[in-house]
């Protein structure tokens, strides 16, 4: 079997654009992957054009060899832009492999170690209307969700760190009081705070027992987590912005986090993600896969987590809205709190390509935040 071509598709997704890659073969088997870096799609498209040329005519079943070729053949190590392009192609190749052998991808990764994968749900924004926000928490719990995730609040496009600190502490305790002790709560700082505020926030919510605090610090200097680790007892999670096992290495080898937030659509695909998961296992670090994206990354995360002993939970933002759902002929089965295994060969997903081609969609610019004095800060 040989790779005969690839196609990039952009689909409308909650006001944004989902970027997919379909890889075709001479045996009529195709595979689908997703680009995780939605905010730099033109740059990723350029990388895909280059990488697609590298794999054209190659055997799609040689996933490790093709991964090495894509990651290393440009001499300079792949950054997040190139790694996101590699991820989409690599996941598509695993989809092809599963279809070629007639088995779901998790069977190729060693088989299931669990019957389902726990998942958590986003609460969304709207914290300013506190009664309504807390009622949404209670409704989701009543529906069967056992893990809830929300972010530290900010005021429109202004983020005042001290106010965010105070509001975030109060919000976390209010949600805990609203849902009780048996529901697990995840707080995403989203790299918005500097170290002094991050430390205070983590310490002030310890008594409310967070499942983990995510991205409490910026990702550029992972060793900063050494300071935070020494000054708080809350479980820490990080890694959604990392593109390879080498970027994860300082956090894993120094045991500075409790949960690795591997994003398969950014961290160079399933080939690389399973190696990161293996490194986590050697240090008793759990896997909490990152997926604010769509059904393709939900599916690839599912197959990894079904086969990984240290997998704890995967992110689930929401089901596709009616606009997006109509493009997918197959997608993962998700019930409140669980992603269920698929018996369909490959990833267990597929799309209506003709319909997708008819609806090309530009990406939405990410929000930008600034501090009260006008200086830029992370969203």
């Amino acid at each position: 079997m040989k790779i005969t071509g690839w196609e990039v598709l952009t689909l409308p997704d909650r006001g944004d654009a989902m970027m997919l890659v379909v890889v075709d073969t001479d045996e009529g088997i195709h595979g689908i992957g997703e680009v995780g870096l939605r905010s730099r799609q033109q740059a990723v498209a350029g990388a895909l054009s280059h990488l697609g040329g590298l794999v054209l005519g190659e055997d799609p079943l040689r996933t490790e060899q093709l991964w090495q070729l894509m990651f290393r053949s440009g001499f300079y190590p792949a950054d997040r832009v190139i790694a996101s392009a590699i991820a989409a192609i690599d996941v598509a190749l695993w989809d092809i492999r599963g279809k070629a052998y007639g088995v779901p991808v998790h069977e190729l990764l060693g088989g299931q170690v669990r019957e389902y994968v726990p998942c958590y749900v986003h609460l969304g924004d709207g914290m300013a209307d506190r009664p309504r926000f807390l009622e949404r928490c209670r409704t989701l719990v009543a529906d069967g969700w056992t893990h809830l995730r929300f972010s530290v609040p900010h005021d429109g496009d202004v983020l005042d760190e001290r106010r965010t600190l105070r509001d975030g502490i109060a919000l976390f305790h209010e949600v805990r009081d609203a849902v009780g002790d048996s529901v697990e709560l995840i707080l995403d700082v989203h790299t918005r705070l500097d170290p002094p505020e991050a430390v205070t926030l983590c310490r002030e919510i310890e008594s409310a027992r967070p499942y983990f605090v995510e991205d409490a610090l910026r990702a550029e200097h992972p060793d900063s987590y050494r300071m935070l680790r020494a000054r708080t007892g809350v479980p820490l999670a990080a890694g959604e912005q990392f593109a390879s096992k080498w970027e994860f290495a300082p956090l894993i080898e120094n045991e500075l986090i409790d949960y690795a937030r591997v994003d398969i659509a950014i961290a160079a695909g399933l080939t690389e993600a399973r190696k990161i998961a293996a490194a986590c296992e050697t240090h008793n670090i759990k896997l909490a896969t990152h997926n604010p994206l769509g059904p393709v990354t939900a599916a690839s995360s599912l197959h990894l987590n079904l086969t990984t002993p240290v997998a704890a939970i995967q992110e689930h933002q929401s089901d596709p809205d009616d606009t997006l759902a109509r493009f997918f002929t197959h997608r993962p089965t998700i019930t409140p709190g669980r992603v269920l295994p698929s018996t369909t060969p490959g990833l267990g997903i597929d799309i209506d390509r003709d319909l997708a081609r008819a609806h090309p969609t530009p990406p939405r610019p990410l929000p930008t935040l600034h501090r009260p004095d006008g200086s830029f800060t992370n969203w």
Side-chain angles (χ1 to χ4, degrees), residues 51-372:
L51 297 174
L54 288 179
V55 302
L56 192 64
E58 298 290 339
D59 180 352
L61 303 185
R62 299 182 68 188
T63 48
E64 179 65 37
Q65 173 70 1
L66 294 181
W67 188 94
Q68 296 290 336
L69 177 68
M70 290 187 289
F71 196 93
R72 298 170 61 187
S73 64
F75 180 71
Y76 296 97
D79 62 4
R80 288 159 183 77
V81 170
I82 297 175
S84 293
I86 293 172
I89 295 174
D90 179 79
V91 168
L93 297 182
W94 279 98
D95 191 21
I96 291 170
R97 174 186 282 266
K99 292 172 180 175
Y101 288 112
V103 296
V105 167
H106 63 256
E107 294 292 346
L108 303 174
L109 300 177
Q112 293 179 225
V113 299
R114 55 182 49 83
E115 298 303 315
Y116 63 89
V117 177
C119 64
Y120 66 82
V121 67
H122 285 205
L123 287 171
D125 295 322
M127 298 90 159
D129 187 347
R130 198 61 54 86
R132 185 175 181 179
F133 186 81
L134 296 177
E135 184 57 33
R136 172 163 167 74
C137 296
R138 287 187 284 263
T139 298
L140 287 169
V141 171
D143 288 343
W145 291 94
T146 57
H147 295 70
L148 306 180
R149 174 267 190 198
F150 52 99
S151 299
V152 292
H154 57 85
D155 185 13
D157 61 356
V158 177
L159 190 146
D160 182 325
E161 279 196 283
R162 300 303 293 181
R163 179 176 176 180
T164 290
L165 168 64
R166 294 189 298 270
D167 290 349
I169 293 168
L171 175 63
F172 196 88
H173 285 284
E174 289 177 35
V175 174
R176 170 58 71 207
D177 290 341
V179 300
D181 290 337
S182 62
V183 177
E184 301 293 352
L185 301 180
I186 295 166
L187 183 65
D188 187 359
V189 179
H190 219 248
T191 74
R192 292 172 180 165
L193 299 180
D194 287 330
E197 286 73 27
V199 169
T200 302
L201 174 68
C202 289
R203 295 186 66 164
E204 289 293 323
I205 66 172
E206 284 182 6
S207 63
R209 298 174 304 284
Y211 188 70
F212 58 71
V213 174
E214 178 184 351
D215 286 339
L217 301 171
R218 287 172 58 180
E220 292 91 333
H221 182 49
D223 203 52
S224 296
Y225 277 88
R226 191 183 305 275
M227 171 278 301
L228 185 61
R229 186 70 149 179
R231 297 172 69 179
T232 181
V234 300
L236 299 174
E240 70 180 58
Q241 295 175 308
F242 292 166
S244 71
K245 54 184 168 288
W246 292 285
E247 290 192 60
F248 271 96
L251 294 180
I252 294 173
E253 293 171 1
N254 295 301
E255 300 179 359
L256 302 181
I257 55 173
D258 302 281
Y259 295 86
R261 301 283 286 129
V262 180
D263 189 324
I264 294 172
I266 289 178
L270 272 168
T271 298
E272 185 76 338
R274 62 198 298 235
K275 296 175 184 179
I276 298 168
C280 288
E281 185 177 0
T282 67
H283 289 271
N284 296 309
I285 292 170
K286 296 180 180 181
L287 200 65
T289 47
H290 177 254
N291 175 35
L293 303 170
V296 178
T297 302
S300 60
S301 299
L302 166 67
H303 289 286
L304 175 67
N305 289 326
L306 282 173
T307 62
T308 303
V310 294
I313 198 164
Q314 81 176 54
E315 179 174 8
H316 174 63
Q317 180 169 338
S318 65
D319 288 325
D321 61 23
D322 292 339
T323 301
L324 178 62
R326 66 194 177 107
F327 293 101
F328 284 85
T329 57
H330 296 86
R331 63 178 190 265
T333 300
I334 298 171
T335 62
R338 298 182 177 188
V339 190
L340 304 181
S342 168
T343 59
T344 303
L347 289 176
I349 56 160
D350 213 338
I351 60 172
D352 183 332
R353 291 173 73 174
D354 289 334
L355 184 62
R357 292 182 185 118
H359 292 82
T361 306
R364 173 184 60 194
L366 287 181
T368 55
L369 299 182
H370 58 84
R371 294 176 176 165

